[in-house]
Amino acid sequence: MLYKIYKPAVVRFALNIWPPFWGAGIKILSISEDFRQVKMRLKLRWWNKNANRTQYGGSMFSLTDPVYALMLMGILGPEYYVWDKEASINFIKPGATNLYADFELSQQQLDEIWALTAAGDKCFPEFVVYIKNHSGEVVAEVERKLYIRKKPDHRLT
């Protein structure tokens, strides 16, 4: 039922008013019509600064959660489970400005997911997203691993 309204504009609106994103200063700037590209911003606000007056690391980490899972839910549809499984962040330099993250899924990545899950097997794709400052400098690198599998009613075995 949810998949009938699971459209980029609806997802963007819902997440932009979702308290964890809104409160952290996270905003989805755009979602492509095919869910393959998402652009996001983390606004630097007085309440999400750390003791050093730069972006709070938890907000930076939240900027990337659960974007790839939501993109793949939109692409794969209701036949699949898509969950975040693991994530890590490497802080490279302080985030002293608004920060940005661009997420993209290639045709090759999607073809690999479809091939690995066609018979009902689990798949654990890994993605890297770079969080950048307003000058385009990388301030953090986030690695995310997902769990993807067809739901039981759609598996061959």
Side-chain angles (χ1 to χ4, degrees):
M1 185 66 138
L2 175 64
Y3 282 94
K4 291 182 181 182
I5 62 166
Y6 200 85
K7 307 288 184 214
V10 173
V11 172
R12 179 177 176 220
F13 174 78
L15 288 177
N16 281 339
I17 64 168
W18 188 44
F21 272 14
W22 180 85
I26 296 168
K27 183 172 185 175
I28 298 176
L29 302 174
S30 67
I31 302 176
S32 66
E33 283 302 312
D34 60 4
F35 280 103
R36 292 182 186 212
Q37 293 181 327
V38 174
K39 296 184 180 297
M40 299 184 63
R41 178 188 70 215
L42 172 60
K43 191 168 178 124
L44 182 62
R45 296 180 172 161
W46 66 268
W47 65 80
N48 67 357
K49 290 182 182 178
N50 62 24
N52 295 308
R53 315 266 319 135
T54 60
Q55 290 280 10
Y56 170 62
S59 295
M60 292 169 65
F61 199 58
S62 293
L63 178 64
T64 69
D65 180 34
V67 182
Y68 279 116
L70 294 173
M71 292 168 73
L72 284 161
M73 287 171 65
I75 294 168
L76 299 174
E79 296 179 2
Y80 285 84
Y81 291 120
V82 182
W83 294 319
D84 274 307
K85 181 169 177 48
E86 250 176 69
S88 65
I89 188 166
N90 177 24
F91 297 104
I92 297 169
K93 65 186 295 182
T97 66
N98 290 346
L99 300 177
Y100 302 88
D102 294 340
F103 303 80
E104 191 166 337
L105 291 169
S106 69
Q107 187 62 47
Q108 180 180 345
Q109 289 169 313
L110 296 173
D111 289 344
E112 186 174 320
I113 290 167
W114 281 313
L116 292 171
T117 60
D121 295 325
K122 300 172 191 173
C123 171
F124 303 99
E126 296 183 26
F127 305 96
V128 175
V129 62
Y130 298 97
I131 299 174
K132 298 178 181 181
N133 63 19
H134 72 283
S135 300
E137 300 168 303
V138 175
V139 300
E141 175 185 77
V142 180
E143 294 181 22
R144 302 200 72 89
K145 181 187 279 189
L146 275 58
Y147 167 98
I148 301 174
R149 188 174 192 188
K150 282 189 174 183
K151 292 179 180 176
D153 294 347
H154 301 281
R155 295 179 195 157
L156 298 177
T157 55

